[in-house]
Amino acid sequence: MKKPIISIKNLVAKYGEETILDKISMDIFPQEVTVILGGSGCGKTTLIKNILKLYNPYSGSVKIFDEEVTTMDEQEFDDILSKIGMLFQNGALLNSLSIYDNVAIPLEQHTALPKKIIDKMIKVKLDLVNLSHAVNMIPSELSGGMKKRAALARAIALDPDILICDEPSAGLDPLTSANLDELILKLKDLLNMTIVIVTHELASIHRIADRIIFLDNGKLLFSGTLEEAKQTDIVEVRTFFEVGTF
């Protein structure tokens, strides 16, 4: 049995008096693609924010690389965070900067590498996402799919062990979405990454998911492999895989 790279035990998250996550326990295993599913307001975003220590849980444990992060100070967690890449839903590229400068941000902030090395690393990452021609372009000059690939290049700039993707296919046509999925899987194997994805796209889930985490009203409804999810008797999970909506 593989040891989890992220392990969450009895996680409770609250906004004021409202409980958003209610005793969530789950494991994310290395070099797999884990998809987090659930309807609006079920706690998916809150779960990601607790993993990234953007919120501190009300109670419970979050371990990353077998280290308890809930009790870490900011400097300690920065070492963990440098091993995690984040692909935001809208890409979150800085519109006033070139693609080169966008991808350079994590390298300049988290390393002391000389510019010549940073130049080479940016070139490598843009080559990996088939965007070497766009190095001097700005985000407004890119298509939706190209923006996602540029954001992906920035997310993998530091060769992270873990890549977290928030709705990577949002706003993309089916062909562009399929191509992005293929690229994410290629990068996973090339860089030996563990990938956590929040998505509602059923076709995408079938293409990329190894494991499924299904949340419902702040509770963990299902955790298991994609095949187990498709065969489960849990009504909400089965309905999603049959209908494709919540």
Side-chain angles (χ1 to χ4, degrees):
M1 184 71 174
K2 286 190 290 188
K3 191 171 186 177
I5 196 167
I6 299 175
S7 186
I8 295 170
K9 303 295 182 190
N10 297 317
L11 180 68
V12 176
K14 293 187 176 187
Y15 297 150
E17 295 299 312
E18 183 181 5
T19 298
I20 308 300
L21 297 174
D22 189 6
K23 295 182 179 177
I24 300 292
S25 293
M26 53 175 270
D27 291 323
I28 292 170
F29 293 94
Q31 296 172 18
E32 291 187 351
V33 178
T34 298
V35 172
I36 301 175
L37 291 171
S40 297
C42 72
K44 301 185 299 296
T45 300
T46 300
L47 178 58
I48 294 298
K49 287 181 176 179
N50 275 268
I51 291 173
L52 294 174
K53 207 171 162 61
L54 295 173
Y55 292 155
N56 286 319
Y58 180 79
S59 61
S61 167
V62 178
K63 288 187 176 181
I64 305 177
F65 309 121
D66 207 30
E67 295 188 62
E68 181 63 52
V69 302
T70 59
T71 55
M72 285 183 177
D73 61 31
E74 190 173 334
Q75 187 170 357
E76 287 175 313
F77 188 65
D78 277 348
D79 292 335
I80 299 288
L81 206 55
S82 68
K83 301 173 186 175
I84 301 174
M86 181 74 201
L87 177 60
F88 297 94
Q89 181 174 337
N90 61 2
L93 297 171
L94 297 179
N95 292 321
S96 60
L97 298 181
S98 69
I99 300 306
Y100 173 96
D101 289 330
N102 269 281
V103 179
I105 291 171
L107 293 165
E108 291 173 346
Q109 288 191 344
H110 298 289
T111 76
L113 294 170
K115 187 177 186 304
K116 185 181 290 187
I117 300 298
I118 288 177
D119 286 346
K120 289 182 178 179
M121 292 178 72
I122 292 171
K123 182 182 185 302
V124 167
K125 295 307 189 291
L126 289 176
D127 282 345
L128 285 175
V129 300
N130 304 314
L131 272 184
S132 55
H133 64 284
V135 63
N136 294 316
M137 298 171 71
I138 59 173
S140 62
E141 296 175 307
L142 305 184
S143 67
M146 291 170 72
K147 287 178 183 176
K148 290 289 176 76
R149 284 187 280 136
L152 183 56
R154 184 181 61 190
I156 64 169
L158 293 171
D159 295 330
D161 296 300
I162 300 168
L163 176 65
I164 298 176
C165 306
D166 184 13
E167 299 281 2
S169 299
L172 301 180
D173 64 79
L175 181 58
T176 304
S177 176
N179 289 337
L180 183 63
D181 288 340
E182 185 179 330
L183 177 59
I184 287 172
L185 288 177
K186 184 184 89 170
L187 293 173
K188 176 184 82 79
D189 292 338
L190 195 63
L191 302 176
N192 294 317
M193 290 189 297
T194 301
I195 300 183
V196 181
I197 296 182
V198 175
T199 184
H200 299 108
E201 303 290 339
L202 191 56
S204 181
I205 292 165
H206 283 296
R207 283 191 293 263
I208 64 177
D210 295 308
R211 292 182 184 271
I212 301 293
I213 302 292
F214 199 104
L215 301 179
D216 184 60
N217 291 321
K219 293 183 180 293
L220 180 68
L221 209 58
F222 174 87
S223 176
T225 67
L226 175 61
E227 289 306 313
E228 289 169 343
K230 291 191 285 188
Q231 297 170 14
T232 184
D233 290 330
I234 299 170
V235 173
E236 293 87 346
V237 181
R238 190 176 70 241
T239 300
F240 174 77
F241 279 96
E242 289 174 354
V243 181
T245 58
F246 295 108

